[in-house]
Amino acid sequence: MELLKIDCLGKPLRLEGSLAGWQQLFWGDALVSVIQASPDNEGLKSHTFELATQAPTHTNLEGTEPAETIVTPTIKITLETDLQWQPFVIDYRLLKDDEVITSGQRTTKDIERQTPTVAVAEKRQFSVIGLASLGFKLLKSAKVIKVLLAGASVAAYSWLFSFQFALALIACLVFHEYGHIRAMKYFGMKTKGIYLIPFMGGLALSDEKINTRWQDVVISIMGPTFGLFMSLASLIAYWVTGNIFFAGLATFNALLNLFNLLPILPLDGGHILKSISFSMNSVMGLIACILGAAVGVYISYSLGLALLGFLLLIGSAEIVFEWKTRHQSHLLPLDRYGQIFSAIWYFLTVGALIGIIWYFAASGDQMLALPLEILKS
């Protein structure tokens, strides 16, 4: 990930690094210093390189004697950093011939809002697949495709169920995806909007990539959180009006968002729990993650939610098996506070959605009890 980017003698000086301990320093596009990966991935580090300065050339006008030999002077550039990963803080000093020319500090907020330098992509030869990919990108950028996909979704769900149910389902999907959009805008990311895909749900797209695990957690969980708000609003509307439509909307919307919180990629829950567990550097952190997953599976089976417990077990095992690859990610990890806060937010949202489903299942209505029966299957 890009840790630092400052000006150095008219060119950008860029420091790349990872949790694995390696660091690479670039001056412009040239690699000028490397620190290899090691367990010592924090603390004081120093990069030093030399730059040759341009000196005037002297020639003999008469051409009878050899030109004077010129010794090209060099400038020593040193970048000193003091790095802490969790919470992320990097203090830096840039020295020119042992004289400080700039210094400063970067934190998680700076990483969240940076636009990392991307290597220039190689030109590809013409291919049918490349042409199709270009066509798809052009379609995505057109507003008309959103209308077409939304219309296709309404038609598809109306064919399977009813027109009223299709509109209600579309509303649930749009409100869920709007939560993702709001989170993206909170981090200053440009968005392309919401795309409804028949039989697959919805998709919120952005022009930019995330830089931190915190961004991944917030963007992922805001969809189900907005879904929870919609279910709660529908629950209140049911209490006020007694209309069974609002009861059905509340419980089926809760089921839809609950499945999105399963710890299986690429679902929202997979992104959330992966960001939490991959931010744990110690073995004790991994053990705590495993114990938390085991408790979740046990509670699910104790409540008779067999399907939920099984999917929770499969998703948690997938994340645990990938835990060793966490240092290869370009995302800045969560600090301890962020891990705890994210876990509490996740489990409270899951619990609230299950509570809504359970509440309506106890009403005695077979249709309203269907979401709970699905979880028990």
Side-chain angles (χ1 to χ4, degrees):
M1 71 185 70
E2 187 175 289
L3 304 178
L4 180 65
K5 186 176 181 181
I6 56 177
D7 180 74
C8 176
L9 303 182
K11 288 186 179 182
L13 188 67
R14 189 175 80 255
L15 180 64
E16 301 275 351
S18 80
L19 278 167
W22 68 265
Q23 291 185 4
Q24 293 182 334
L25 185 65
F26 295 85
W27 187 61
D29 294 326
L31 179 63
V32 293
S33 178
V34 176
I35 294 178
Q36 300 298 333
S38 70
D40 183 21
N41 64 351
E42 290 187 316
L44 298 171
K45 304 285 184 182
S46 180
H47 294 267
T48 300
F49 62 99
E50 293 184 341
L51 299 175
T53 60
Q54 294 183 351
T57 57
H58 296 268
T59 57
N60 191 322
L61 296 178
E62 297 180 357
T64 57
E65 302 205 359
E68 180 182 351
T69 302
I70 301 299
V71 178
T72 304
T74 59
I75 299 174
K76 185 177 74 170
I77 302 295
T78 303
L79 177 65
E80 297 177 347
T81 61
D82 187 1
L83 174 63
Q84 175 184 296
W85 282 108
Q86 295 173 298
F88 177 82
V89 177
I90 182 170
D91 295 288
Y92 64 89
R93 293 199 316 163
L94 182 64
L95 299 91
K96 174 184 174 184
D97 291 331
D98 299 324
E99 180 183 348
V100 177
I101 57 176
T102 187
S103 62
Q105 183 185 83
R106 299 192 84 209
T107 63
T108 303
K109 290 295 184 183
D110 299 306
I111 297 294
E112 286 177 352
R113 285 167 170 76
Q114 74 179 3
T115 302
T117 301
V118 179
V120 179
E122 296 181 0
K123 293 184 178 180
R124 298 180 180 179
Q125 296 181 349
F126 173 82
S127 67
V128 176
I129 296 178
L131 186 62
S133 176
L134 177 61
F136 181 69
K137 290 180 179 179
L138 291 174
L139 283 175
K140 284 199 303 182
S141 64
K143 293 183 179 180
V144 67
I145 197 65
K146 297 180 184 178
V147 178
L148 293 176
L149 286 174
S153 296
V154 172
Y157 297 134
S158 298
W159 176 69
L160 280 179
F161 307 104
S162 67
F163 180 70
Q164 293 82 357
F165 183 86
L167 291 180
L169 182 58
I170 294 299
C172 294
L173 293 174
V174 169
F175 207 69
H176 174 100
E177 298 302 331
Y178 181 69
H180 295 313
I181 292 292
R182 289 300 304 170
M184 292 175 186
K185 290 184 176 180
Y186 169 77
F187 289 113
M189 300 170 63
K190 297 178 181 178
T191 61
K192 290 184 177 180
I194 299 171
Y195 292 82
L196 298 172
I197 305 173
F199 306 114
M200 294 183 65
L203 186 64
L205 296 180
S206 171
D207 288 322
E208 302 175 21
K209 293 183 178 181
I210 60 175
N211 299 316
T212 69
R213 294 284 184 192
W214 176 242
Q215 288 176 310
D216 195 21
V217 167
V218 174
I219 292 172
S220 298
I221 203 170
M222 281 302 288
T225 299
F226 267 57
L228 174 60
F229 292 158
M230 185 174 185
S231 285
L232 291 174
S234 300
L235 173 62
I236 294 173
Y238 170 69
W239 286 341
V240 172
T241 65
N243 191 327
I244 196 68
F245 169 79
F246 292 112
L249 183 62
T251 187
F252 280 96
N253 180 63
L255 179 65
L256 173 68
N257 285 275
L258 182 61
F259 269 100
N260 265 282
L261 284 173
L262 289 172
I264 302 172
L265 292 171
L267 298 180
D268 296 330
H271 284 279
I272 297 165
L273 291 190
K274 185 174 182 178
S275 284
I276 295 173
S277 59
F278 278 31
S279 297
M280 299 177 179
N281 283 324
S282 66
V283 176
M284 289 304 297
L286 178 61
I287 293 174
C289 182
I290 295 174
L291 290 177
V295 170
V297 172
Y298 174 77
I299 293 175
S300 298
Y301 278 99
S302 298
L303 297 175
L305 308 179
L307 179 61
L308 183 63
F310 175 73
L311 294 176
L312 180 61
L313 175 63
I314 296 300
S316 300
E318 176 188 4
I319 291 174
V320 169
F321 289 144
E322 292 183 6
W323 186 73
K324 287 186 177 180
T325 65
R326 68 195 185 284
H327 285 166
Q328 299 175 12
S329 173
H330 74 283
L331 299 179
L332 188 68
L334 295 166
D335 57 22
R336 187 59 53 85
Y337 170 79
Q339 295 169 28
I340 296 174
F341 184 85
S342 300
I344 292 174
W345 190 356
Y346 173 81
F347 286 113
L348 284 179
T349 307
V350 170
L353 291 171
I354 293 177
I356 291 173
I357 293 172
W358 210 288
Y359 172 80
F360 284 108
S363 66
D365 188 291
Q366 290 186 347
M367 184 60 67
L368 296 180
L370 183 58
L372 184 60
E373 294 302 318
I374 292 174
L375 295 179
K376 289 182 176 180
S377 62

